[in-house]
Amino acid sequence: MKKNLKKTSVRLAALGLATAMSLSGALLVSANENPTQKNAAQNQDSAKLYAGTYQKVSASEALADKDVKAAIDQIYAQFPETKSYEINAYKDVVSKDEYDKYVINLEKDSNNFFHFAVDSKTGKLSYTIQSLDASKVLSYPNVQNGVDKIYASQPETKSYEISSANVVDNFVGKFSKYNLTFTDKDSKRSITIGIDAGTGEIMPTKFTPAE
């Protein structure tokens, strides 16, 4: 969580799951749908397995787990704005305690979210993914250093705007990184680059072509 830094490679599927959901918003039901359509969509979601392991469950079921409840209370206390966010919960129904037992996505919209997972064995947070204000992200430790390296290696990005940002704190793997998306205003081409929060070094890059 910004200042606290947890997660292992065995859980990268879940980490990718949470990130993909936050970026796509694919699991949010449109407000324009009627109740019958909404229920049908929810029933379809509950039958799916995400990342081959996680099944969508109700928020009340997830919060009945004492570790999930303790984690979300901790997050609400530290980041009160998340109390108004929608809760999307996913439960490990396959791995028999090999992965995180719950992945919880707190979401207001694609630019305001807080995702976390609860370790099956310890009951503690294993990772968090928190949205950041893209206009202020350069003020975070080592971000400017990383951005300068990006500009040096990819000069065309100097004209791009930082359109979104988030921070991943992996407590099991003991690392933290910032994900910054740079977008060209004209072509809409974007590039998402990770910056090691501890060193400012550049991490793997993801390109998104213009539509």
Side-chain angles (χ1 to χ4, degrees):
M1 299 175 194
K2 287 184 182 175
K3 296 183 181 179
N4 298 336
L5 297 177
K6 194 177 178 194
K7 206 127 196 11
T8 62
S9 59
V10 75
R11 296 184 173 86
L12 289 180
L15 186 58
L17 164 72
T19 304
M21 289 174 179
S22 71
L23 296 177
S24 69
L27 299 180
L28 297 179
V29 178
S30 170
N32 294 322
E33 293 178 337
N34 63 45
T36 301
Q37 290 173 320
K38 182 175 181 179
N39 289 338
Q42 289 174 334
N43 290 337
Q44 185 178 33
D45 275 343
S46 67
K48 292 179 182 178
L49 287 183
Y50 298 89
T53 302
Y54 292 88
Q55 186 176 65
K56 188 172 185 181
V57 298
S58 67
S60 59
E61 178 179 341
L63 291 172
D65 182 279
K66 65 179 179 62
D67 296 324
V68 173
K69 183 64 166 60
I72 205 166
D73 285 346
Q74 176 186 349
I75 291 163
Y76 284 166
Q78 191 167 358
F79 306 103
E81 68 276 11
T82 60
K83 291 181 180 180
S84 65
Y85 291 9
E86 179 179 2
I87 300 174
N88 287 296
Y90 304 86
K91 182 179 181 180
D92 176 3
V93 295
V94 173
S95 76
K96 297 181 179 179
D97 296 337
E98 183 181 1
Y99 299 103
D100 298 302
K101 60 179 176 178
Y102 282 97
V103 174
I104 308 296
N105 294 351
L106 306 177
E107 298 176 335
K108 179 180 179 181
D109 52 45
S110 61
N111 290 316
N112 295 274
F113 58 84
F114 195 110
H115 298 171
F116 67 91
V118 176
D119 188 288
S120 295
K121 295 181 174 63
T122 67
K124 298 179 179 180
L125 287 172
S126 59
Y127 72 81
T128 64
I129 306 175
Q130 182 180 10
S131 60
L132 300 175
D133 186 336
S135 67
K136 299 178 181 178
V137 71
L138 291 178
S139 66
Y140 285 88
N142 293 315
V143 173
Q144 184 65 66
N145 183 31
V147 169
D148 288 343
K149 292 177 181 178
I150 293 167
Y151 289 161
S153 62
Q154 302 184 57
E156 71 278 8
T157 59
K158 290 182 179 181
S159 63
Y160 290 15
E161 67 172 352
I162 299 175
S163 55
S164 66
N166 65 69
V167 58
V168 177
D169 291 321
N170 183 323
F171 303 114
V172 173
K174 297 181 180 179
F175 72 86
S176 180
K177 75 168 183 173
Y178 299 101
N179 291 315
L180 275 60
T181 298
F182 297 79
T183 302
D184 179 63
K185 293 181 180 179
D186 297 325
S187 70
K188 302 304 180 184
R189 175 181 180 270
S190 65
I191 176 173
T192 299
I193 300 177
I195 298 173
D196 187 301
T199 66
E201 293 300 315
I202 306 305
M203 301 178 78
T205 297
K206 177 181 178 182
F207 289 91
T208 302
E211 296 182 354

